[in-house]
Amino acid sequence: MPPSISSQAKQAVPALSRTLATAPPASQAPSKAHHVLTYPADAFPKGYAVSSTHCGIKKTGAQDLGILVSTTPRPASAASCMTRNVFKAAPVTVSASLLHSGHGQARGFVVNSGCANAVTGKKGLEDAWAMSNAVTSLLDSSKETEGTGTLVMSTGVIGQHLPIDKITGAIPGLHSSLSSSPDAWAGLSKAFMTTDTFPKLRAKTFKIGGKEYKMAGIDKGAGMIAPNMGGPPPPPHATLLGVIATDAPVEPKSLQSALQYATDRSFNSITVDGDMSTNDTIVALANGAGVAPGETVEEICEDKHPEAFAAFKEELREFAEELAKLVVRDGEGATKFVTVRVQGAPTFEVANAVAKSVASSSLVKTAMYGQDANWGRILCAVGYTVLPDNASINPTSVSVSFVPSATASDSTPLQLLTNGEPEENIDEARASEILSEEDLEVVVDLGNGDQEARVWTCDFSHEYVTINGSYRS
C-alpha cells in the first residue's frame, strides 16, 4: 500500500535538510554604509526648504513624514511619472489631478512612509487630499500661486488607512521647522524609507549655456520594484518613490518630456523582484531660483532652446540613473548588483524588452546568488521575451558573456555563447570567480542591429523571502 501524503512529507524533510546542508554557503549582503554621502551647505539647489519628523505611522519611531516646498514667489514647474498599475493609490490619483489643474506647476510635495494609502477607497482619497491641503494652506498665497497645490506621495503597507489626524496634526510643526540645511535634506531622505537599509540622497552641480545650476534627488525602494511609469493621466485617475529638484529654469511641458526620457532609461530600467507597485511615483521640480537676481533667463523650452534642452535632458538622465542604481543596490536581501546589457538590437525598445526579461527572471537571479554560471537560464529568458514592433530574435545570432566590474583584479570578459554556439571548455572556475563579485555584467548580443539598453537588477537571496514573508509584522 503506498504511503500516505503525510508520511511522504515526513520522508521529504530529511532529504530537504540534506540538500540545504550541502548547498553552497550563502553570500553575505555587502555593507551599504559607503553609499550614504554627506554634502556641504552649498550643494543643494536654491529656493527649496525641507523638513521631516516622526508622526506615529511607524512603530519604530523613525522618520515617517516629510515635506519639500519651493520658496520662490512663483510655483515650481512640476512633472511626474507614475505607476501604470490599474490599482493606483490615492496619492497617485490626487497628485495627477493637482498637476492637471495646476497646468504643470506645484508648490512642493508631502510624503509619508509606513502606509501606502493604496486600495483604500473614498476614505483614502479624502486622506490624500487632506495631506495636500494641510501643507498648501500654510504656504504664502498670491495671484501667481492660485490653482497650484502640494503633491502627495505615500509608501508602505497596502490596504490600510492612514492615521490622518496624526499626519495633519504634525504638518504645522514641519512647516515651522523648514530648512535648507544638509541635515534637513538628510532627514527628509529618511522619511521616505520603508525596508530600505540606507537613505538615498544625492546632489550635483551642472552647467547649461555657461550658467551653473544645482540638482538634488531622493528616492526609496528595496522591494516591490519593477517600475513602469508614464506621465500623469488626466484626472479621475514597498514602492519606488523619488523626487528630483533643480533650481534651473525649465518650463513645465519640457520638464515632463525630459523626465519621461530620463525615467525610461533609469527608474523604468531597474527591477528587484518584478512587482510593479500601486504607488510608484517620480516627481521633478524646477523653480528657476538658480538664475541670479536681476538676470533675465528664459525658461528652457524643448522647441525654443533645443541645445539647452538636450543638455538638461542628459543631465537629468544621468542623475536619475545614479538614483535608480541605489535602489537596486539596496534590494531586499541583495548581495549582488547586476547590469544586464543587451546590444546588437534593431531598436532600443527591443533591447530594453530583452534586458528586462533577463533581469526579471527568478531563475537567473537565484543563479546569481548561488554563483552558478547557468547561462542556459539567460538564453531561456531571452527566448520568451515579448518583443515590441513584431520584432524577432534569430537564435543563431545571439551571443552571451559575463563581464567583471572594472575594479575587479581581472576584468577580462568570459565568453559563454557565440552566435548560438556554446564555447568549448568554458572555464567554470573563472565563471564562479566573476559571479562571486558584488558587481558584474551580463552581456547579450542579439547580432541584429546597433541599438542597446541596460537594465539593473540584483540577486534573489534567502533574506528576500524572510523580509517579505513577515513584512506586515
Side-chain angles (χ1 to χ4, degrees):
M1 184 173 182
S4 65
I5 293 176
S6 58
S7 62
Q8 286 177 333
K10 290 177 182 177
Q11 292 171 11
V13 172
L16 176 60
S17 299
R18 287 193 299 272
T19 301
L20 292 175
T22 57
S27 302
Q28 296 298 312
S31 171
K32 311 294 175 65
H34 59 289
H35 295 304
V36 180
L37 306 183
T38 57
Y39 292 96
D42 62 353
F44 296 95
K46 298 176 182 177
Y48 295 100
V50 303
S51 184
S52 61
T53 190
H54 169 70
C55 74
I57 305 173
K58 292 178 180 175
K59 298 175 184 179
T60 62
Q63 307 284 77
D64 54 18
L65 184 66
I67 60 174
L68 175 149
V69 299
S70 176
T71 59
T72 52
R74 291 179 56 199
S77 295
S80 73
C81 290
M82 300 177 177
T83 184
R84 291 187 171 110
N85 192 310
V86 296
F87 287 100
K88 292 175 175 61
V92 172
T93 300
V94 168
S95 291
S97 180
L98 286 166
L99 284 169
H100 180 78
S101 63
H103 304 288
Q105 292 184 311
R107 309 296 303 277
F109 70 85
V110 55
V111 60
N112 79 269
S113 55
C115 178
N117 192 13
V119 199
T120 46
K122 181 180 178 182
K123 177 69 164 58
L125 285 170
E126 291 173 351
D127 289 347
W129 278 112
M131 288 177 65
S132 173
N133 293 335
V135 176
T136 304
S137 66
L138 298 173
L139 304 179
D140 294 335
S141 60
S142 67
K143 189 173 183 180
E144 288 184 310
T145 63
E146 286 181 7
T148 58
T150 303
L151 307 181
V152 190
M153 292 186 281
S154 298
T155 180
V157 178
I158 294 171
Q160 295 183 0
H161 289 295
L162 291 168
I164 192 61
D165 291 340
K166 292 181 179 180
I167 292 173
T168 55
I171 284 174
L174 284 177
H175 179 259
S176 64
S177 61
L178 282 167
S179 169
S180 58
S181 72
D183 285 345
W185 279 94
L188 179 62
S189 68
K190 294 176 183 177
F192 277 72
M193 295 171 62
T194 51
T195 58
D196 304 64
T197 64
F198 67 92
K200 302 166 182 66
L201 170 66
R202 290 293 184 266
K204 78 169 184 177
T205 300
F206 63 100
K207 287 186 177 182
I208 294 180
K211 301 183 184 300
E212 187 174 276
Y213 301 107
K214 291 182 171 63
M215 188 178 287
I218 295 170
D219 64 353
K220 64 83 51 185
M224 198 179 280
I225 302 296
N228 182 10
M229 298 180 287
H237 171 72
T239 296
L240 189 144
L241 296 183
V243 60
I244 298 175
T246 180
D247 54 17
V250 187
E251 64 97 17
K253 185 178 179 181
S254 298
L255 184 63
Q256 181 64 55
S257 176
L259 181 63
Q260 186 66 66
Y261 171 85
T263 298
D264 284 342
R265 290 157 179 79
S266 58
F267 298 108
N268 280 354
S269 293
I270 63 174
T271 179
V272 167
D273 46 25
D275 281 324
M276 185 199 311
S277 172
T278 55
N279 293 57
D280 289 337
T281 303
I282 299 297
V283 168
L285 300 169
N287 65 5
V291 177
E295 185 179 12
T296 301
V297 176
E298 285 189 50
E299 288 186 321
I300 295 172
C301 174
E302 185 171 6
D303 296 329
K304 295 180 181 179
H305 317 107
E307 290 185 6
F309 175 76
F312 174 76
K313 183 173 71 170
E314 283 304 316
E315 292 287 352
L316 188 64
R317 180 205 58 77
E318 182 182 84
F319 194 57
E321 181 180 306
E322 181 179 1
L323 288 168
K325 288 179 178 179
L326 291 177
V327 173
V328 175
R329 290 194 179 279
D330 202 20
E332 291 170 342
T335 70
K336 290 179 174 53
F337 178 87
V338 183
T339 300
V340 179
R341 174 160 56 96
V342 175
Q343 61 189 28
T347 65
F348 167 80
E349 288 74 20
V350 168
N352 188 248
V354 173
K356 283 184 175 179
S357 182
V358 174
S360 299
S361 166
S362 296
L363 290 178
V364 171
K365 290 158 72 69
T366 50
M368 295 293 110
Y369 177 66
Q371 301 173 21
D372 180 9
N374 194 341
W375 53 266
R377 294 181 176 183
I378 298 170
L379 276 187
C380 181
V382 172
Y384 62 60
T385 304
V386 179
L387 297 172
D389 306 324
N390 297 315
S392 61
I393 293 174
N394 182 353
T396 63
S397 299
V398 177
S399 302
V400 177
S401 60
F402 288 158
V403 180
S405 70
T407 58
S409 56
D410 182 356
S411 58
T412 306
L414 177 65
Q415 196 71 24
L416 304 168
L417 185 81
T418 303
N419 295 328
E421 295 287 339
E423 293 289 320
E424 293 186 12
N425 303 317
I426 292 175
D427 188 342
E428 292 286 347
R430 174 63 179 148
S432 295
E433 182 183 351
I434 294 173
L435 293 176
S436 69
E437 297 287 337
E438 179 183 347
D439 287 33
L440 68 131
E441 186 173 26
V442 175
V443 178
V444 178
D445 192 327
L446 300 181
N448 186 29
D450 59 1
Q451 296 298 301
E452 72 173 44
R454 287 176 172 84
V455 171
W456 298 278
T457 191
C458 56
D459 55 347
F460 262 163
S461 70
H462 305 299
E463 185 64 17
Y464 177 85
V465 178
T466 301
I467 292 170
N468 284 282
S470 57
Y471 180 67
R472 293 200 306 168
S473 57

